Amino acid sequence: MMTFVLKDRITGPEAWKGAALQAGNQWLRPLSPAMLEALDTALASAKSAGLGILDLTTENFSLKTVQSEIEDFIAELQNGKGFLVLRGLPITRYTEQDMALLYYGLGLHMGTPVSQNEKGELLAEVINTGDLNDPKTRVYQTNAHLPYHSDLSDVVALLSLRKAHEGGASSLISVATIYNRIMEDYPEFLALFYRPLYFAHLGEAQPSLSPIFSFHDGKLSCRYMRQYIELGHDLRGLPLSRVERRACDIFDAILDEPDLRLEMILEPGDMQFANNYAVLHSRTGFIDDKNVEHRRKLLRLWLKMEVPRNLAPDFPGRNGIAKRAIN
């Protein structure tokens, strides 16, 4: 099958620049009074029934009264900027367990939660309790800088429970904007980003092939994390060529352009949702409280959308990490 290389500039809402969105906090979406009431009612009903997170369904955590608002959230993820940040939850009103139930319940109405690790976790804690010297530690479990990447799901979502003492900004960048810069300034490299590369994905026995860019059914999709690409090729005994390394250098240089990036401190109660095909995400390093109970803490969901993006055959969809037997 011949790969189609998009050679036109992308001009839709997905081609945003962080500097433009920062003006007037255009990236923030306040939760409506109706949404806050619906979430509170659904939470109270779930608690009175003694339901845990994994017991929740769209039926027993009903948000029918605000379905149109949720559909608007989904449209923003699929056909708009590719992300949204919801603000306004009265976090002092709820316990952390309440917040987890509320967040997971809302997530169910936006997609299906999928596994984030080999243990099959559907709701993961993002907190600095890992050991950077342990090769099994994933970077999100530390306070280290997390480079730009995309996760193994249609959408990644974060709920902020506590901020770091200093730093820990969430950072997003538009895939379409990266594409436009490459097409305008490095057109001779464009086709290279459509060639399959080996990615060392967590949960896979061997690195698998995927291009960085794929244009299919009218939409541009991206998969990227340089560390996983380099590791994938090393594990396959096929180190990246000089021109492939140069292409990754170009990609990384664009990621570092401050006017393209949108950085934000997620306040307690903020919920961030990002389309993994349209937006790459990162996190700055941070200084945490010595007391674990006061450290930066977020809850993370990976969601498979009910109507997923139509992907090209050479750009396989990945919805979660396969669960393996834990001895």
Side-chain angles (χ1 to χ4, degrees):
M1 180 178 178
M2 182 175 292
T3 299
F4 179 82
V5 178
L6 177 67
K7 297 181 180 179
D8 297 321
R9 179 180 176 83
I10 300 173
T11 58
E14 68 269 33
W16 51 267
K17 293 184 179 180
L21 293 183
Q22 285 286 7
N25 285 341
Q26 294 181 41
W27 50 275
L28 267 179
R29 184 183 293 232
L31 289 167
S32 70
M35 177 62 73
L36 290 171
E37 181 180 358
L39 288 169
D40 194 59
T41 300
L43 174 62
S45 176
K47 289 176 64 179
S48 67
L51 301 178
I53 287 174
L54 298 184
D55 300 319
L56 297 183
T57 67
T58 53
E59 286 72 34
N60 61 31
F61 195 93
S62 177
L63 297 174
K64 289 182 180 179
T65 59
V66 288
Q67 189 59 40
S68 61
E69 192 168 348
I70 293 173
E71 289 174 359
D72 188 45
F73 295 164
I74 294 171
E76 185 71 79
L77 291 172
Q78 293 186 320
N79 299 306
K81 293 190 295 295
F83 79 93
L84 67 155
V85 179
L86 307 177
R87 178 167 287 179
L89 278 181
I91 191 168
T92 57
R93 178 174 177 174
Y94 303 119
T95 66
E96 285 195 7
Q97 185 178 10
D98 290 342
M99 293 290 286
L101 280 167
L102 186 153
Y103 170 55
Y104 193 89
L106 175 60
L108 286 173
H109 288 269
M110 297 179 67
T112 301
V114 295
S115 170
Q116 300 181 41
N117 52 43
E118 293 179 350
K119 295 180 181 180
E121 276 189 312
L122 299 181
L123 185 65
E125 289 188 349
V126 180
I127 189 169
N128 173 27
T129 56
D131 180 0
L132 279 171
N133 295 316
D134 183 349
K136 295 182 180 179
T137 297
R138 292 170 66 176
V139 179
Y140 78 83
Q141 298 169 317
T142 74
N143 64 342
H145 164 66
L146 186 60
Y148 275 108
H149 64 286
S150 53
D151 286 331
L152 306 183
S153 61
D154 295 336
V155 168
V156 56
L158 293 170
L159 164 65
S160 173
L161 295 176
R162 293 193 298 268
K163 297 190 295 183
H165 176 70
E166 182 180 326
S170 175
S171 187
L172 306 175
I173 191 167
S174 160
V175 163
T177 298
I178 297 169
Y179 193 90
N180 286 342
R181 285 278 286 105
I182 293 172
M183 186 186 65
E184 292 166 2
D185 296 346
Y186 307 96
E188 68 276 20
F189 282 90
L190 192 59
L192 189 62
F193 291 98
Y194 284 85
R195 289 174 51 186
L197 296 170
Y198 282 109
F199 283 72
H201 289 296
L202 290 169
E204 290 186 338
Q206 290 291 330
S208 58
L209 285 169
S210 173
I212 292 174
F213 285 139
S214 175
F215 187 78
H216 184 71
D217 198 23
K219 289 186 179 294
L220 177 71
S221 297
C222 179
R223 179 170 290 125
Y224 189 76
M225 186 169 185
R226 182 162 184 168
Q227 177 185 349
Y228 289 172
I229 294 172
E230 291 180 339
L231 178 59
H233 278 258
D234 287 344
L235 290 173
R236 287 283 186 174
L238 298 167
L240 292 175
S241 67
R242 282 183 296 176
V243 68
E244 288 169 336
R245 288 187 178 278
R246 173 59 178 151
C248 287
D249 288 342
I250 290 170
F251 201 101
D252 290 342
I254 295 171
L255 292 177
D256 282 337
E257 294 186 22
D259 66 317
L260 303 187
R261 305 154 63 128
L262 177 63
E263 289 195 351
M264 63 190 75
I265 294 292
L266 294 176
E267 298 293 336
D270 284 356
M271 292 182 284
Q272 180 194 86
F273 295 81
N275 184 323
N276 274 309
Y277 306 120
V279 173
L280 299 182
H281 60 279
S282 170
R283 183 200 69 203
T284 65
F286 58 91
I287 299 172
D288 229 337
D289 197 288
K290 293 181 179 179
N291 187 335
V292 175
E293 294 184 356
H294 297 157
R295 288 184 179 180
R296 180 183 187 268
K297 183 178 181 180
L298 301 96
L299 298 179
R300 187 177 68 187
L301 276 173
W302 284 1
L303 298 175
K304 177 181 179 179
M305 302 302 284
E306 183 177 346
V307 182
R309 177 173 294 209
N310 189 14
L311 301 172
D314 67 342
F315 193 87
R318 303 178 189 277
N319 282 297
I321 296 174
K323 184 176 180 180
R324 297 183 181 180
I326 306 298
N327 296 326

